[in-house]
Amino acid sequence: MSNPFVRIVEPLDPKEPLKKFFNLTKLEDERYARLPFSIRVLLEAAIRNCDEFLVKKGDVENILNWKEVQHKNVEVPFKPARVILQDFTGVPAVVDFAAMRDAVKKLGGDPEKINPICPADLVIDHSIQVDFNRRSDSLQKNQDLEFERNKERFEFLKWGSQAFKNMRIIPPGSGIIHQVNLEYLARVVMDQDGYYYPDSVVGTDSHTTMIDGLGVLGWGVGGIEAEAVMLGQPISMVLPEVVGYKLLGNPQPLVTSTDIVLTITKHLRQVGVVGKFVEFFGPGVAQLSIADRATIANMCPEYGATAAYFPVDDISIGYLIQTGRDKEKVMWTKKYLEAVGMLRDFKSSSQDPDFTQVVELDLHTVVPCCSGPKRPQDKVAVSDMKEDFETCLGAKQGFKGFQIAPDRHNSIVKFNFEGSDFELAHGSVVIAAITSCTNTSNPSVMLGAGLLAKKAVETGLAVKPYIKTSLSPGSGVVTYYLRESGVMSYLSQLGFDVVGYGCMTCIGNSGPLPESVVEAITQGDLVAVGVLSGNRNFEGRVHPNTRANYLASPPLVIAYAIAGTVRINFEKEPLGVNASGEKIFLKDIWPTRNEIQAVERQFVIPGMFKEVYQKIETVNESWNALDAPSDKLYSWNPKSTYIKSPPFFDGLTLALQTPKTIEDAYVLLNFGDSVTTDHISPAGNIARNSPAARYLTSRGLTPREFNSYGSRRGNDAVMARGTFANIRLVNKFIDKQGPQTVHFPSGETLDVFDAAERYKQAGHPLIVLAGKEYGAGSSRDWAAKGPFLLGVKAVLAESYERIHRSNLVGMGVIPLQYLPGEDAGTLGLTGRERYTIVIPEKLKPQMNVQIKLDTGKTFQALMRFDTDVELTYFHNGGILNYMIRKMAS
């Protein structure tokens, strides 16, 4: 059927009749001008894609009527303009695509129908680790090791870029996915197939929201959901509430964008924005650069919203010019946005739309701060850091406590490093990393760090040699302006050499600490500290030996590295003493905003961006030399320990299977609140005593060859064994942290995978019990795929993180939720019962189902299939099975 809104199509310029757009102002509907700008993007996509099949006129009316229906859980479809992937999530996506081609062929269909329809970019940024640091050749050595470890994965990805149409691969060594998206990939306005329309994107990384800072609506989705979008399916989403976040005033001179985002993160966590859009407005927005806005949007997952949108304004347009975008395209971008009423003037309150609610922040009230020691929302003013850490030391084990006995708070362990004697104590900094697109995309904080380093070196300050320092920029542009501005050499003198272009320490690729440091930490059972300019600091994520981890701006990372401890009050205690015996305080070397801005204006110029990005796809010679197969069907290597055909589609038929009641399931794991995807999904290094290590050893590998879980996401045998393998896992069945559980038929305590295998061999289904915010954190599809392979049929939790619930649905795992006012405690559940979950023949979204225990107790829970589309996926055994059946038939 033709589009019913074709009547509002017109040329953007009468002189170019083939360049058209849907002119939303011609709807002549007064509701449009009152819609939040983020909702206008959803509306335009619905109108442009309206075919009365996937997208219906009723969907358009629901979006137009947002103000009335926003609270009613109304489902709408959304077809993003693009998909973006990083390699940790991209490899399993390409593995799934390859396996889907095989499955379609087996069912008698055309395998080449499995092909991205929606444009997809895959940026390889998650594979490089900080194996070498504090040396001039660290970058080359780390990149060489990256290729040595990941050659097979990279060859597979290169095959994918050639075998699948509409998929572009950005090679390793280019930068971090979200910074490359901001500086290069994002269009702001698409010019495709004869139409102009707003750029929008979903990505297989929760920090995809960073691009919202440029006015491109984007958010993270599960890898499974992203694959469906790539195959032309719309996202089915509940029309969100939109919280208006009004920014007022000007930041104080010493405050950075990092301080602002950590303040906003804590504030919005308190407001409660899970599942909602946040849209920024007010005169304070005009005081923020695009890099500042992108920093704030980047940490959207940490405050729990779906998107954190800054509508496009003239500063956004200026940023496109600054980053070397084509000036004519930028001109058409602005012209289109003006024509459809999507260009914002933040100083004009007459443009302010309707919001669900409005909250405010006066930027002048923000103070320098960090977040930690275990969660990004736990903001601590820098002036309070010493006192706060010392309080955490003795506090009960939890997000703000380590339960260290009072008589051990001042324990000191002496150790020797490279021939010199040093001491470690609770609070000693052992990792200091300037890392993550959150901050390295922002010239103001990066140049601020460089200028602070210059002043520190000039006053004779240094960083102790055992501290693992590193600088991992999000793009080559950062190195360019740090070098051109003359601060790179000072960063190097403090140990902050460039170690790679990728996520690195931010995602746990921090590499090994010196053995003597690890021995000292272990000997004294010390709460050692990592300080990083990242976006996440969940326990066990950054490094197994740093129990406390603080998020901080790049200048503060250097300051704490120089101090060597977080048990310092910078206002009262000096960083050190110069050659003349004078005390040097942090305020003495902290650069002013005017200093930073002067350097930024001089050295961050369009030519840098053009030079770096015009050769981004060809500059890596190691990538260019890779030899990838050219077949359309992938030839799986049975000897490979990296790439393996997954068992998801084994036995798949064209006919649907009727969902069955889950009978007498055992509880595999019993959790409390805030179990993250870092706890569930295999991540970080592969422990030598783990089931995954035993599997790799059986395949002839040595521990040196294990690599990380992230690098092996293309092998289900490794990933299933690494599910729930986090050393900080807190399972109520076990009286200590660790990746173990009780196998109830035998009473034995086993590794989680080994227990699941025993249950599977005996034919017993499994469930997981959890508290609030189950699945918080990164959008890892293996946090759903792994439990599925372990035999988990359902999860029963108090609440879910949005993306993780979607991923469970995508794998055919049932997300169940306790009814309001109920939880495991009120129902008297121990997890030692056996559970029968009654699945009716006729299902409907958000229905209650009955759960029967072997004790005779019964209760009801909410089945969190929120839309009819999700029920369709469930009936098919998951979203990928649905797509295979669709393509094969």
Side-chain angles (χ1 to χ4, degrees), residues 582-600:
E582 296 173 311
K583 293 179 179 179
I584 306 299
F585 288 84
L586 181 57
K587 65 183 179 182
D588 299 327
I589 61 172
W590 194 273
T592 67
R593 186 183 298 276
N594 287 340
E595 282 180 88
I596 296 168
Q597 288 176 344
V599 175
E600 184 175 350

Side-chain angles (χ1 to χ4, degrees), residues 654-671:
L654 285 173
L656 291 181
Q657 306 296 312
T658 304
K660 297 176 182 177
T661 289
I662 299 169
E663 300 272 3
D664 284 329
Y666 281 96
V667 177
L668 179 63
L669 293 149
N670 189 1
F671 294 130

Side-chain angles (χ1 to χ4, degrees), residues 37-58:
F37 282 65
S38 51
I39 299 298
R40 297 181 200 187
V41 178
L42 300 184
L43 177 67
E44 191 284 337
I47 286 175
R48 178 168 36 86
N49 291 294
C50 187
D51 59 0
E52 289 296 357
F53 176 59
L54 290 174
V55 184
K56 300 181 179 180
K57 283 183 73 173

Side-chain angles (χ1 to χ4, degrees), residues 243 245 261-276 278 299-305 359 371 375-379 535-536 538 674 676 772-778 799-802:
V243 175
Y245 199 92
V261 71
L262 296 179
T263 301
I264 289 173
T265 298
K266 181 174 183 179
H267 185 198
L268 285 175
R269 271 287 174 189
Q270 293 168 336
V271 170
V273 293
V274 173
K276 302 175 184 179
V278 174
M299 285 193 69
C300 173
E302 281 64 57
Y303 41 86
V359 292
S371 277
R375 295 191 305 182
Q377 64 262 43
D378 293 330
K379 185 191 77 159
N535 47 42
R536 291 213 168 128
F538 299 129
S674 297
T676 71
K772 299 180 182 69
E773 295 181 337
Y774 182 72
S778 301
S799 64
Y800 293 89
E801 194 277 336
R802 176 185 62 85

Side-chain angles (χ1 to χ4, degrees), residues 701-713:
L701 274 67
T702 64
R704 183 180 174 275
E705 299 169 303
F706 285 173
N707 210 332
S708 65
Y709 280 114
S711 67
R712 293 190 181 275
R713 284 190 182 185

Side-chain angles (χ1 to χ4, degrees), residues 118-271:
C118 182
D121 294 300
L122 193 157
V123 181
I124 301 174
D125 67 353
H126 272 49
S127 300
I128 191 166
Q129 299 185 41
V130 191
D131 290 288
F132 295 90
N133 69 311
R134 283 185 176 253
R135 45 191 291 173
S136 59
D137 61 351
S138 295
L139 172 63
Q140 188 59 54
K141 282 190 165 293
N142 286 329
Q143 288 183 337
D144 289 346
L145 258 181
E146 177 188 22
F147 265 83
E148 180 185 322
R149 289 172 174 143
N150 297 285
K151 183 169 184 266
E152 193 178 330
R153 295 171 63 244
F154 291 170
E155 286 174 343
F156 174 69
L157 286 175
K158 195 166 185 180
W159 166 81
S161 69
Q162 298 166 356
F164 297 109
K165 301 171 186 174
N166 232 1
M167 179 183 285
R168 171 171 49 179
I169 306 279
I170 304 296
S174 303
I176 302 174
I177 176 173
H178 307 305
Q179 189 163 339
V180 173
N181 194 18
L182 182 73
E183 295 176 353
Y184 176 61
L185 298 174
R187 283 75 145 177
V188 177
V189 169
M190 302 291 288
D191 175 7
Q192 197 155 318
D193 301 327
Y195 284 90
Y196 290 105
Y197 52 93
D199 187 8
S200 59
V201 64
V202 292
T204 56
D205 189 283
S206 51
H207 295 100
T208 300
T209 53
M210 183 171 180
I211 203 61
D212 291 334
L214 184 57
V216 175
L217 185 62
W219 62 85
V221 296
I224 305 148
E225 196 172 12
E227 290 168 36
V229 173
M230 290 164 70
L231 291 167
Q233 298 299 296
I235 287 173
S236 182
M237 61 184 293
V238 173
L239 193 62
E241 296 180 7
V242 182
V243 175
Y245 199 92
K246 189 172 188 178
L247 295 175
L248 304 164
N250 291 305
Q252 295 184 52
L254 300 183
V255 164
T256 67
S257 59
T258 316
D259 304 320
I260 295 171
V261 71
L262 296 179
T263 301
I264 289 173
T265 298
K266 181 174 183 179
H267 185 198
L268 285 175
R269 271 287 174 189
Q270 293 168 336
V271 170

